[in-house]
Amino acid sequence: MTTVRRAVLPLPAAPLGPDNPLPALRLLDGTPAVDPRAVADDLPRDMARQLGYAPLRTVLPAPVRDGYGRARVPTDLDAIVIENDRVRAIVLPGLGGRVHSLQHKADGRELVHRNPVFQPAAFALNGAWFAGGIEWNIGATGHTTLSCSPVHAAIVAAPGGGQLLRLWEWERLRDLPFQVDLWLPEGSDFLHVGVRIRNPHERTVPVYWWSNTAVPEDRRILAPAETAFHHGYERGLRRVPVPVAQDGTGRSEDRTYPLRSTLPADWFYDVPDTARRWIAALDETGAGLVQTSTDLLRGRKLFLWGTARGGRRWQEWLTAPGAPGYAEVQAGLARTQLEHLKLEGGAEFSWLETYGPLTAEAGTVHGEDWSAARADVERALEAALPRAAVDAAYASWRETAADAEPVTVLATGSGWGALEVLAHGHELPGTPFPASALGEEQKPWLELLRTGVLPPLPEGPEGAPPGPSLVADHWRDMLETATPTPLTEYHLGIAQWAAGDLAQAVRSWERGLRHEGGLRWPLLYCLAVADQEGGHPVRSADRHAQAFDAFEALGSGDSVVRAALGREAVTALLAAGCAPRARALLERLPADVRGRGAFRLLEARLLLAEGRKAEARAVFDTGFEVADLREGAETLGELWSALTDEPLPDAYEFRMRP
C-alpha cells in the first residue's frame, strides 16, 4: 500500500542565510542566454520565434538569495516520503519540492544522483540553488527562483485510490499558479508525476518548464533522436548529429557518454513529433533510470560537465570531496531551454511524466549502432510501461485527481498566492491559497489592496530595508493611484522598471528623494543602477557611494545592508576607474565583512588597479572562496591572467569555455 508521510532528512548543510536586501533590478551575471550572432540559420521556424519571446530583464519581484556560505553543519531537513513496496521517493518541501532520492527497493538501486550535502551555489535565476535529485523549473530560462524556497504540500486522494503528494505554489516571475502531483500506483516501479500550470488571467503569459534529473555521469544517455541542438558557454545554438559530434574544442566524440566530452554543454535532442517522449541514463550493464511522459512535454536534454578542469571543479564545488560526479537528463515544454511558450488567458498546460528503473540489452545499448541502441531501450520501456498506459494514467489523473482538494496539509509555502487570490478572486480547484498563509511580507500589500494606501514601514531600526516589491500590472496600477509617499515612489519605480519603463522609474525614484527620511539609501541605490544601465558609469559610482553614505549616516547596525551596499559601491567605483575612492570605502567596512571571499576578490582587483600586483597575487596565495560565484564566471581566471603567466590553480578554475 502506498504511504505518504513526514520525515526528517539529516544532511551536512550550508545555511541559506538572509536574502539580499537590495532589489533585483538586473539579471545576475551568467543568466542563461543565446547570442543571436552565434545561432545557426537552419533552426525550425517555431524555435527561432520562441527564442526571442519574452526574455527576462530582471528577476523581480523575487529576491536575490546570496546569504549562504561554504561552511556546512549537521542539519535536519523537513522531508516527505512517498513509498510503496517497490519504490521510495524522498521529497524536500522546504527546498522547491525537490525529489532528493528515488530508490528502487527491489535491488536497492538509487536511480538519481543523491547529493550527500546541501550546498547552495549561485545557479538559480535569483542565486541559491543546489545539485542533485529531480527539480521542477518554472518561470524563465534557467533554474527556478523557487529552488531554495518552501512550497505548499498536502496529501490528496490518488487516481484509483490511495494517496498522492501534491506540491503547489505561485510562481512570481510570470504570475502563475502550478502544481506537481506525485504518486506510486499500486505495484508500480514508476513514480508518476502530474504537472499543471494554469493561467488565471485574461492576458497571454509566457511559460517555461523543465524537469531536471541528476544522474551518475558514468552512464550512456539515450533519447529518440538522430540530431540535437548544441548550446555551449559560447552562447551559440547549432544543430549537430547524435551520437557523434564536435564540442567547443573541435574534437569529435560520442557525446551520449558525459565523460567523453571535454567542456560543459547542453545537448537538446530533436525528438520527432510522432516519437514517444523519453530519455534514459543506463550503466555498463544496461540498467538505470528512464523518464517518459505524455506528448506535451516534448523536449529532452543532456547537460554534462565534461572532463576539463573547470567542469571537475564545479562538481567538487556543488557536492562533497570524493563524491561521484553527475550529469543531468531533462524534459521540457519546448525543444530547448532558451524558449518560452505562449499560454492563453484562462488556459492551462498539463501532462504526466514518470520516473523508474529500466534494463535493456547492455551490448546493444553500448554498441556502435545508435538506431539499434535506441530501439532496444524503447522496446524495454514499452514492456515495462507501455505508452498507452502513460496516456491512460494521465487521463485518469486529470479526471479524478487533479482538482481534488487536499486532505492533510504537510507543509506551507509562501503567502503570495493567497494575496493574488484575494486581489482577483481566482478559483483554482485543488490548489488552495488560504488567507492563513499571509505573512508579514504580504501585510502592506494587503493594506494597499483594501484601502488604496501603502502603509509606512513598521517601527523598527532606522534604515531597515523597505521590504519586497510587487511588479505585476495590477499592483503597478494601484501604486500609481496611491498617496505618493517616498515608500510608494520607491515601489512604483521598481514596478515601472520591471515593466521596461525605465524613464518613469527614474522619475518616481527622483520624486521619492525630495522627501527626507530613511529611504534615501534605497532610492539612491536604484538610481545608481539606472545610471549604470544607461551608460553613465561615473555617475553610477557616485550614486552607489552616496547610497552607502546615506545608510551609514543613519547609524544602523544592519550588517547585511551595509555589506550589500558596500560590495556594489566598491565594484562600481572600480568599474569607473575610481580606485582611491574604492579603497576608502572598502576600508570602512568591518573586518569580518572584508574577510569574506567576495570581498577578498574585490581586494585583489583593487590592488591590481593600484598597481600592487605582488600584493594582489598574495591574496590568491593566501586562499579565498567566493561562495556566490556564478555559473560560467570567468572573473577569477581573468584577474589571475592579469597578475601572472602561471597556470591558474585548480582551486580557482571555474571556466567553462576553451
Side-chain angles (χ1 to χ4, degrees):
M1 189 120 179
T2 299
T3 60
V4 178
R5 57 184 171 84
R6 289 190 182 96
V8 171
L9 177 68
L11 274 187
L16 279 169
D19 290 343
N20 192 308
L22 307 180
L25 299 178
R26 293 166 296 193
L27 292 175
L28 301 184
D29 292 340
T31 299
V34 64
D35 184 344
R37 298 167 298 180
V39 173
D41 296 330
D42 63 343
L43 298 184
R45 212 175 267 181
D46 61 332
M47 179 189 293
R49 182 172 60 252
Q50 289 164 180
L51 286 173
Y53 173 53
L56 285 185
R57 288 190 61 258
T58 79
V59 294
L60 290 168
V64 171
R65 313 202 75 174
D66 61 1
Y68 52 86
R70 299 281 302 164
R72 296 189 282 264
V73 296
T75 304
D76 287 338
L77 298 177
D78 290 335
I80 299 172
V81 176
I82 311 168
E83 187 170 18
N84 66 5
D85 62 337
R86 308 183 69 81
V87 178
R88 179 187 297 115
I90 300 175
V91 179
L92 305 178
L95 296 169
R98 180 77 60 96
V99 177
H100 172 73
S101 167
L102 184 63
Q103 186 182 51
H104 189 226
K105 294 162 66 174
D107 53 17
R109 271 192 294 160
E110 180 63 61
L111 297 176
V112 301
H113 169 72
R114 181 171 177 167
N115 199 334
V117 301
F118 171 70
Q119 177 56 63
F123 278 55
L125 287 166
N126 64 332
W129 171 87
F130 63 106
I134 308 172
E135 59 176 303
W136 320 110
N137 291 297
I138 182 173
T141 298
H143 294 284
T144 178
T145 60
L146 296 168
S147 292
C148 292
S149 295
V151 296
H152 300 279
I155 296 174
V156 178
Q163 299 177 331
L164 65 74
L165 170 64
R166 174 161 299 156
L167 309 170
W168 75 99
E169 192 41 282
W170 198 277
E171 200 287 311
R172 300 175 67 204
L173 292 186
R174 303 305 194 183
D175 208 21
L176 297 175
F178 71 97
Q179 71 189 78
V180 179
D181 289 357
L182 304 99
W183 76 99
L184 290 162
E186 185 177 354
S188 176
D189 289 315
F190 285 82
L191 177 68
H192 285 42
V193 183
V195 183
R196 177 164 62 170
I197 304 170
R198 287 187 272 199
N199 180 5
H201 310 292
E202 294 181 357
R203 67 183 186 277
T204 299
V205 176
V207 167
Y208 171 94
W209 182 278
W210 280 78
S211 304
N212 292 7
T213 305
V215 295
E217 64 182 350
D218 59 344
R219 302 288 190 266
R220 190 179 202 188
I221 311 303
L222 301 102
E226 296 182 352
T227 63
F229 299 96
H230 173 264
H231 178 248
Y233 285 80
E234 304 86 352
R235 299 195 168 192
L237 190 66
R238 58 189 174 88
R239 190 192 293 269
V240 297
V242 175
V244 177
Q246 291 184 350
D247 65 6
T249 65
R251 292 175 53 208
S252 291
E253 289 283 0
D254 187 336
R255 305 301 172 192
T256 62
Y257 291 93
L259 289 174
R260 294 186 186 178
S261 281
T262 304
L263 297 174
D266 300 324
W267 304 86
F268 298 103
Y269 296 107
D270 190 10
V271 179
D273 290 341
T274 57
R276 183 176 184 179
R277 279 49 163 152
W278 59 267
I279 190 167
L282 305 181
D283 65 16
E284 71 279 358
T285 70
L289 172 83
V290 67
Q291 187 269 6
T292 188
S293 72
T294 48
D295 287 354
L296 183 68
L297 201 68
R298 70 174 301 177
R300 292 299 184 273
K301 171 194 162 185
L302 163 64
F303 167 76
L304 52 84
W305 285 108
T307 58
R309 287 200 307 155
R312 305 330 293 172
R313 181 68 177 112
W314 275 118
Q315 293 260 29
E316 297 170 0
W317 188 256
L318 296 170
T319 58
Y326 74 94
E328 288 183 355
V329 293
Q330 309 180 9
L333 285 172
R335 285 189 184 92
T336 76
Q337 289 174 329
L338 305 166
E339 304 166 67
H340 301 108
L341 305 183
K342 291 183 178 181
L343 181 58
E344 302 296 329
E348 67 177 53
F349 288 142
S350 64
W351 64 91
L352 180 78
E353 44 189 300
T354 69
Y355 299 79
L358 189 75
T359 300
E361 168 56 46
T364 306
V365 165
H366 295 283
E368 294 184 3
D369 189 333
W370 174 242
S371 295
R374 288 170 16 225
D376 194 64
V377 172
E378 190 142 353
R379 175 200 55 76
L381 174 58
E382 186 66 17
L385 186 65
R387 185 177 188 177
V390 174
D391 292 338
Y394 167 71
S396 176
W397 168 71
R398 283 296 287 115
E399 181 179 349
T400 67
D403 288 344
E405 293 301 320
V407 176
T408 304
V409 174
L410 300 177
T412 302
S414 77
W416 296 115
L419 185 66
E420 295 300 333
V421 168
L422 284 172
H424 293 283
H426 297 311
E427 294 185 6
L428 301 166
T431 54
F433 292 94
S436 59
L438 294 166
E440 290 299 317
E441 289 186 324
Q442 290 82 40
K443 277 186 176 180
W445 299 97
L446 184 61
E447 185 73 13
L448 175 65
L449 177 64
R450 289 174 172 170
T451 69
V453 176
L454 193 67
L457 290 173
E459 289 189 12
E462 196 170 16
S469 297
L470 292 180
V471 301
D473 293 349
H474 51 282
W475 294 108
R476 186 173 74 250
D477 292 343
M478 282 186 259
L479 288 167
E480 286 176 344
T481 58
T483 304
T485 66
L487 182 61
T488 304
E489 300 287 12
Y490 166 79
H491 286 301
L492 175 58
I494 289 178
Q496 291 165 332
W497 181 273
D501 196 345
L502 311 191
Q504 285 291 0
V506 168
R507 292 189 191 99
S508 296
W509 294 327
E510 288 176 339
R511 284 196 303 268
L513 270 182
R514 295 173 193 154
H515 303 264
E516 293 298 323
L519 276 182
R520 283 188 62 78
W521 72 261
L523 291 163
L524 284 165
Y525 170 77
C526 291
L527 288 168
V529 174
D531 283 333
Q532 193 170 30
E533 294 295 295
H536 305 288
V538 174
R539 191 166 71 194
S540 173
D542 286 341
R543 277 183 161 155
H544 273 297
Q546 290 170 24
F548 184 83
D549 291 342
F551 178 78
E552 290 279 270
L554 298 172
S556 172
D558 192 326
S559 61
V560 177
V561 175
R562 180 181 289 110
L565 287 172
R567 184 177 180 180
E568 294 284 345
V570 172
T571 301
L573 288 164
L574 274 172
C578 305
R581 293 178 64 192
R583 169 63 63 192
L585 197 149
L586 182 62
E587 292 182 351
R588 289 163 61 187
L589 293 169
D592 65 316
V593 172
R594 297 199 309 272
R596 298 175 192 168
F599 289 88
R600 295 300 295 155
L601 175 59
L602 279 177
E603 172 69 20
R605 290 180 57 198
L606 182 53
L607 288 167
L608 176 62
E610 293 169 334
R612 300 155 66 183
K613 279 191 174 184
E615 293 170 80
R617 166 65 186 267
V619 173
F620 279 86
D621 292 341
T622 301
F624 63 92
E625 290 184 329
V626 182
D628 63 337
L629 194 69
R630 288 291 290 175
E631 178 184 10
E634 300 182 351
T635 307
L636 295 172
E638 290 169 352
L639 180 57
W640 178 265
S641 296
L643 298 174
T644 176
D645 292 331
E646 297 176 27
L648 181 66
D650 287 345
Y652 304 114
E653 178 58 278
F654 293 94
R655 292 173 295 190
M656 300 171 78
R657 297 193 295 176

